[in-house]
Amino acid sequence: MTGSHRSTTSVELESHLEPGDRFEVGCAGPDQLRLLTESAIDDISIHSLQDVQGRTLPASFNPKNHLLTVEGLDRAPPECCAALWMEYQEPGRFRLVIEPMPPNGADTERTTEQGLRLAFDQRDWELLRTGPAQPTATLAELDLALRAARLATHAGFDRLICLPMVRDMELLEHQIRTAKTVLQRFRGRALLCDEVGLGKTIEAGLVLAELVMRGLARSVLVLTPPSLIEQWQGEMRRKFSLEIVNQDDPAFRQKGADAWTQFDRVIVSLHTAKREPHRSAILARQWDLVIVDEAHHLRNRNTQMWKFASELRKQFILLLTATPVQNNLDELFNLVTLLEPGLLSTAKQFQRRFVDRKDKLTPRNVSELHTLLSEVMVRNRRSTVGLQFTRRWARTDRVVLTAQERALYDDVTRFVRLHLRSAGAKGGIARMALIALQMAMGSSSKAAASTLQNMAENDKLAAADRDALAQLADQARRLSDHSKVDRLLQLLDEYPDKLVLFTQFRATQELLQRRLTEARHEVAVFHGGLSRLDKEAAVERFRGPARLLLATEAGSEGRNLQFAHAVCNFDLPWNPMKIEQRIGRLSRIGQTHDVHVFNLVAADTVEAAVLHLLEAKLNMFELVIGEIDMILGNLEEEREFQEVVADLWAECNDQDDFARRMEELGNRLLAAKDAYVEQRTHDDKLFGDRFAPEA
C-alpha cells in the first residue's frame, strides 16, 4: 500500500484509509484481479471499481484467496505496464490505476515518494521491459526474501543461520560449538577428531549447511569409505535438506565424463576417486568444500591416496577421524599438512622439533605442539561432554531347521557356491545376485522362492541355469515349514514390550505380517516402497497402539526410534555395519534405557558363522556405535566385509574348511580391534582434553 500508511488491524484499516491510498493488484483471469498485498486487508469492503476507461463496475472481494471479481471488466489491463494499482476513493469505491512502462530509450530515472532519485542502467531496464511477464510477489514473500538476504549477508559466524533448518534430530551443544569454532577460528579448514559416537558427521553437516546457506560453498566433494556413502547421503538429505549425488547414481553415470562438472555436490569413495578417469576429472575442478570421512586413510604421505588429497583444489576442507595417529607422529604431520601446509613446518623440521628420536610415537615440546594443533584440531570426548551410552543386552537364538528346510538350504547352497566360483564368466550369474540369493535363504523360504523365480526369468542366463533355478523356486514355494517364525512367536511371548523387527526382504516381511496378525499382534509396517507420509504414519502407529514395527532396511536409515528399547534381527546382513545401523536406530545418544538385541539365525548357516565371528572375536554388541567401523578400517581391505565372507565361503571345500577360514578372519578382526584400542589409548595420552571447542 502506498500513500498514507498506518499500522492497524484489519478491522480498523478502512477507517484509516485516505483517498489516494493504493493497493497493488495483478491480473488473475477474465474479470478477475488478485490483490498482491495480503497484509491486514481482509475486512475491506469493495463494492465498485472504476476501470481505466472511467466506467464504474460492480465488484466483490473474496478475502480467502484475495481475488477481486469485477463485472464487465471485459479486457485485461495492458501487459506493458510497470505496475497496476487499486486506488482508494471512498468507502467501498476504488479506481484502477496503470503505471505505464516507459518507451524504449526513454529516461528511466524515477523519484521515490521520499524524494530519492533512482535510475536503472539502460541495459537492465531493457531486460525488464522485454523479458517475461513481470513476476509478482506478496508482501509475505517479499518479507521472507528480505529476511533471507539479511541472513545470507550476516557478518560473522557467532550465530549459525542454518540451525532453524536442521530437522529429525536434537543437536548437542558440543556439536554446535564445534561448527562455530571451525568456521570462526579455523576459517573452514579443520581436523575433527571426536571420540567415536559423538557425531563428527553431524558437525561436518552443520559446517556444510552453514557455508551453503551463506553462499560460500556451491561445489562440494565428500570422500568416504564405500560402506558409508549411503549413510552420508541419507544423513545430509534428512537432517540438513542437502542433496549429494553418488558417483553410482544413474543420473551421474548418464553424464559420463562430463558428470564431474555437471554436478556441484558429489560423494564418492576414496578408492574410486584416486583412480583414473575420476582422479583427473576431480583434480581439474575447483571445489569450495572437501570433506574426507575416515581420514586416517590419509595418514601416509607416500600413498596415492594422500598425494591425490594434497592435489585437490579447495577453499575449505574437513578431515574426520577418531584416530589421527597409529604408528608414528609423522602421520599427524601428514594430516595437518593437508589442511594448513607449513603450519608444522617441513617434515624434517617437525621430526627434529617435536618427535622423540627413540620413540616415534612420543612427542617433544608438547605444549608448543598443542598450541600449533589448536589452530586446526577439535576433539570432543564423552567424559568432557557428559554423554553416557546405555548398555546393550544381546541374545542369539540358533534355530534348528526342519528336514525339508535343511534340504532346500543345502540344495540352494550347492548351486550358489558352484556358480560363485565362475561368477563373471560370459552368460554366468552375477556375483551380487548369487550373494543376495544366499542371504534370502537365511531369511525365509518365501524370500528364497521370490529371488529364485526372478533369477529364473532372466533370459540372459544359460537354459540349464534357468531350469535349475525354476526347480529350486518350485521347491521353495511348496515348503510350508517356517521354524524361525515359530521361534519368533515364542520370543514375543517372552518379551512383552515394543520391539522393532528387521528383515532384508519384502517377501519375508509379508510372511511375518500375516503370521503376526494371525497371532493378534498389533503391527506397523515400514518399507522403502511407502511414501514419505505413509512412513511417518507407520512410525506414529508404532509410537502409539502398535507393539511391533516390522521394517526392512529402509527403517534403519535415519529414523529415531528411541521410544522403543528392543530390536530383533529376524535375518542378518553379512556386513556388520548394516547390523549396527539397525541397532543404532534405538541405541544412540539420547537413549535413556538399556537396549535388548535379539538375533534369530538358522543353525549351521553362513549367517550363523558370521554372527559367531562378530560375537566371539569383537564382542560387537558391547561396542559403541561407530567403533565397528574403526575396527573394520584397520583390516585394510578395499572390499566390503560381506565380499570377504562371500569369497571365503565360495573358496572352501566343506564346512570344516569354511570354519577354519572364518577363524583366520576372526583372528585378523581381533588384531584390528586390538590396534584400534591401542590407538584410542595413545590418542588419549597424546591429546587429552586439550582440543575441546570454545564455548
Side-chain angles (χ1 to χ4, degrees), residues 2 56 73 104-105 133 200 203 214 288 303 361 379 434 439-440 463 465 473 484 532 537 551 563 597 610-611 669 680:
T2 64
T56 299
L73 188 67
N104 187 22
K200 290 187 291 296
E203 293 164 358
R214 291 173 183 264
D288 296 325
T303 63
L361 273 170
R379 185 170 187 258
L434 291 166
M439 288 184 178
D465 288 337
K484 286 175 63 179
R532 182 182 62 84
F563 55 87
V597 181
V610 171
L611 185 58
L669 278 175
R680 188 179 62 190

Side-chain angles (χ1 to χ4, degrees), residues 43 168 200 391 394 429 446-447 478 485 516 604 641:
D43 289 347
D168 287 346
K200 290 187 291 296
R391 290 196 62 181
I429 304 175
K446 295 297 183 185
R478 288 187 280 105
V485 180
L516 291 169
D604 300 322
F641 188 82

Side-chain angles (χ1 to χ4, degrees), residues 96-337:
L96 201 61
V97 177
I98 291 179
E99 182 179 333
M101 193 77 87
N104 187 22
D107 180 15
T108 57
E109 185 175 285
R110 291 288 180 271
T111 301
T112 69
E113 293 175 350
Q114 293 76 25
L116 181 65
R117 298 175 65 188
L118 300 174
F120 273 108
D121 182 282
Q122 183 59 43
R123 291 169 297 179
D124 294 337
W125 187 255
E126 183 67 18
L127 179 64
L128 288 173
R129 192 186 72 80
T130 60
Q134 178 182 345
T136 59
T138 66
L139 283 183
E141 291 168 337
L142 177 61
D143 179 63
L144 185 62
L146 289 174
R147 288 170 59 197
R150 284 194 295 268
L151 288 172
T153 55
H154 195 272
F157 290 104
D158 55 303
R159 181 167 65 94
L160 299 182
I161 65 175
C162 71
L163 294 184
M165 310 303 292
V166 176
R167 54 182 183 161
D168 287 346
M169 67 172 170
E170 181 180 347
L171 283 171
L172 301 174
E173 185 59 33
H174 76 269
Q175 295 167 341
I176 297 173
R177 289 201 307 269
T178 295
K180 287 183 178 180
T181 297
V182 169
L183 293 165
Q184 285 181 298
R185 284 193 50 222
F186 299 165
R187 305 174 303 282
R189 303 173 77 91
L191 186 60
L192 303 184
C193 298
D194 290 3
E195 285 185 336
V196 170
L198 295 184
K200 290 187 291 296
T201 304
I202 299 303
E203 293 164 358
L206 283 173
V207 173
L208 168 58
E210 190 71 15
L211 292 174
V212 168
M213 286 194 68
R214 291 173 183 264
L216 298 175
R218 179 180 178 183
S219 56
V220 179
L221 176 67
V222 180
L223 301 169
T224 181
S227 60
L228 297 179
I229 288 178
E230 290 184 7
Q231 182 176 327
W232 260 90
Q233 281 184 298
E235 295 260 318
M236 295 303 106
R237 179 185 303 117
R238 284 185 297 271
K239 297 177 179 178
F240 301 99
S241 300
L242 294 172
E243 290 292 337
I244 306 180
V245 69
N246 176 356
Q247 184 254 331
D248 289 324
D249 288 343
F252 189 94
R253 297 174 69 91
Q254 229 174 20
K255 298 290 184 179
D258 295 331
W260 292 105
T261 58
Q262 297 281 326
F263 291 88
D264 284 328
R265 300 176 195 155
V266 186
I267 183 168
V268 62
S269 78
L270 282 159
H271 296 292
T272 298
K274 73 176 183 179
R275 294 195 297 260
E276 295 293 356
H278 311 295
R279 176 190 174 94
S280 295
I282 294 171
L283 294 179
R285 179 170 185 174
Q286 175 72 37
W287 298 94
D288 296 325
L289 173 62
V290 172
I291 300 174
V292 184
D293 198 5
E294 305 299 344
H296 43 268
H297 293 295
L298 305 178
R299 289 183 295 212
N300 186 346
R301 67 177 176 272
N302 295 318
T303 63
Q304 287 298 317
M305 207 172 292
W306 188 92
K307 293 175 183 177
F308 164 74
S310 69
E311 294 174 29
L312 286 169
R313 295 189 292 154
K314 66 275 184 186
Q315 176 68 28
F316 310 110
I317 178 171
L318 303 177
L319 302 180
L320 284 59
T321 176
T323 54
V325 178
Q326 180 179 16
N327 300 305
N328 55 64
L329 289 174
D330 284 350
E331 296 169 338
L332 183 62
F333 171 86
N334 296 335
L335 290 176
V336 172
T337 298

Side-chain angles (χ1 to χ4, degrees), residues 335-612:
L335 290 176
V336 172
T337 298
L338 291 175
L339 297 168
E340 293 288 350
L343 178 65
L344 299 180
S345 194
T346 66
K348 288 185 178 180
Q349 289 172 328
F350 173 78
Q351 290 177 3
R352 189 181 309 120
R353 182 72 179 166
F354 297 113
V355 182
D356 188 286
R357 294 180 180 178
K358 296 180 180 179
D359 184 357
K360 299 299 184 181
L361 273 170
T362 300
R364 300 172 59 225
N365 301 312
V366 175
S367 179
E368 183 182 353
L369 177 60
H370 281 181
T371 299
L372 291 171
L373 291 176
S374 66
E375 295 296 316
V376 292
M377 180 186 285
V378 177
R379 185 170 187 258
N380 291 293
R381 304 182 66 191
R382 286 188 290 275
S383 59
T384 56
V385 301
L387 286 178
Q388 294 295 328
F389 294 94
T390 58
R391 290 196 62 181
R392 301 182 198 167
W393 300 94
R395 164 180 154 185
T396 296
D397 285 359
R398 289 174 172 79
V399 180
V400 177
L401 299 177
T402 66
Q404 291 79 10
E405 288 175 315
R406 174 52 64 184
L408 174 65
Y409 187 91
D410 290 344
D411 290 345
V412 171
T413 294
R414 279 191 292 272
F415 179 91
V416 172
R417 180 177 281 132
L418 174 65
H419 287 76
L420 264 181
R421 292 173 177 173
S422 59
K426 186 176 181 181
I429 304 175
R431 176 183 178 82
M432 291 308 298
L434 291 166
I435 294 174
L437 172 57
Q438 192 63 41
M439 288 184 178
M441 278 305 311
S443 180
S444 72
S445 58
K446 295 297 183 185
S450 176
T451 306
L452 286 162
Q453 187 60 45
N454 289 336
M455 294 174 67
E457 294 171 0
N458 185 351
D459 294 335
K460 296 181 180 180
L461 299 184
D465 288 337
R466 295 203 306 272
D467 290 343
L469 288 164
Q471 292 176 14
L472 289 170
D474 183 61
Q475 183 181 349
R477 278 192 296 269
R478 288 187 280 105
L479 187 62
S480 59
D481 296 342
H482 300 291
S483 300
K484 286 175 63 179
V485 180
D486 296 338
R487 181 66 191 96
L488 172 64
L489 293 173
Q490 295 174 12
L491 171 63
L492 293 177
D493 290 336
E494 299 165 11
Y495 185 85
D497 293 337
K498 284 185 182 290
L499 181 142
V500 183
L501 183 60
F502 277 109
T503 176
Q504 300 175 81
F505 299 93
R506 286 288 300 278
T508 300
Q509 187 183 52
E510 292 167 1
L511 168 66
L512 291 174
Q513 183 180 7
R514 177 175 60 80
R515 290 288 302 273
L516 291 169
T517 302
E518 290 173 354
R520 300 186 180 279
H521 289 288
E522 286 276 352
V523 180
V525 178
F526 190 108
H527 56 76
L530 298 176
S531 68
R532 182 182 62 84
L533 291 178
D534 287 340
K535 288 177 180 177
E536 298 300 332
V539 173
E540 286 307 307
R541 176 171 166 76
F542 180 49
R543 191 189 302 271
R547 177 194 166 193
L548 304 175
L549 179 66
L550 184 52
T552 59
E553 296 301 331
S556 66
E557 299 173 0
R559 299 286 162 175
N560 187 341
L561 304 173
Q562 290 167 280
F563 55 87
H565 312 128
V567 57
C568 177
N569 294 305
F570 185 81
D571 48 46
L572 283 160
W574 294 2
N575 190 337
M577 289 291 295
K578 291 188 176 296
I579 301 174
E580 184 179 72
Q581 287 172 10
R582 292 177 172 185
I583 301 169
R585 294 306 96 217
L586 284 68
S587 177
R588 58 192 300 168
I589 294 174
Q591 176 61 267
T592 57
H593 294 76
D594 287 352
V595 173
H596 294 266
V597 181
F598 301 100
N599 301 308
L600 293 178
V601 294
D604 300 322
T605 60
V606 180
E607 291 75 23
V610 171
L611 185 58
H612 173 73

